[in-house]
Amino acid sequence: MGRHEGLRLRAAKLAAAGAALKRQSGADAPFCLAFLTDALRAPHPLLVARVLPKGAAVILRDYGVRRRAGLAAQLKSVCAARGVKLIIGADPALAVRIGADGVHLPRWYSPGSALPENLIVTASAHDEGELARAKELGAGLALLSPVFATASHPEGGGLGAARFKALAAAAPVPVLALGGADEASAAMIAGPNVAGLAAIGAFLD
């Protein structure tokens, strides 16, 4: 199996798992599968974007890379052709300039002014307080992490399935499971308000 087909198969499996989580959750979320860019772990984000199914999303992080605006424009072109949403991390102005679908708010970022009303807003969250903050900032979806230990944060240990589900059920916005979650573990984390999956490594393994 070629690399491209391997990526396509991984994306299809994750998309199916994300859709199943959303159906079971009853949550109203703008998408149920997201790929988060990571220059170190996934240095070819355009390859992943090209195999994502319609309705999925790419969240551009890579906050310190050179020519980030150029990468955003390339991703916008690929995503638009595939019916995939593009969410720009921590830069509403860039999102508006390239016609992206939304903006992502990391835990360290606070928008200095009101966000454009036509943008999807997502936010990172790790506990009850950050889930509440996501709602206050106008997010319609939170990426709750880490569910399990990950390659990005092997020392963290993760929330665990029970804690994750409890946080999600009480959250004021729908959540995507981020951090070690994939199609194999989706059944463990299914529950109210769990609207899908977000991942980096799960697309590549």
Side-chain angles (χ1 to χ4, degrees):
M1 182 185 298
R3 182 181 185 185
H4 192 267
E5 284 307 307
L7 279 173
R8 188 184 301 279
L9 180 59
R10 294 293 308 136
K13 289 181 177 180
L14 290 166
L21 285 171
K22 185 177 180 181
R23 284 194 303 271
Q24 295 173 63
S25 72
D28 181 17
F31 48 84
C32 60
L33 178 65
F35 165 65
L36 281 68
T37 70
D38 185 306
L40 293 178
R41 297 177 59 199
H44 304 292
L46 293 170
L47 292 181
V48 180
R50 290 189 181 105
V51 300
L52 291 175
K54 183 177 180 179
V58 173
I59 298 178
L60 174 61
R61 301 189 308 168
D62 297 332
Y63 303 105
V65 299
R66 295 178 59 195
R67 301 186 178 89
R68 186 174 189 246
L71 174 58
Q74 288 181 294
L75 283 168
K76 172 59 182 175
S77 178
V78 172
C79 290
R82 295 194 58 80
V84 170
K85 293 176 173 59
L86 177 62
I87 312 297
I88 304 296
D91 197 337
L94 176 58
V96 170
R97 188 161 72 247
I98 68 166
D101 300 280
V103 62
H104 177 68
L105 309 178
R107 68 195 306 181
W108 48 264
Y109 177 80
S110 293
S113 58
L115 297 169
E117 292 184 3
N118 61 329
L119 290 180
I120 295 168
V121 180
T122 66
S124 62
H126 306 82
D127 55 32
E128 296 96 331
E130 291 181 7
L131 286 165
R133 175 182 179 270
K135 177 68 172 179
E136 291 168 3
L137 291 175
L141 186 63
L143 278 60
L144 180 56
S145 69
V147 185
F148 304 112
T150 69
S152 298
H153 304 286
E155 73 289 345
L159 295 165
R163 176 65 174 153
F164 170 83
K165 290 195 291 184
L167 285 170
V173 295
V175 307
L176 296 187
L178 172 63
D182 58 18
E183 76 281 2
S185 59
M188 297 171 56
I189 57 174
N193 227 22
V194 181
L197 298 170
I200 303 168
F203 284 95
L204 310 174
D205 293 341

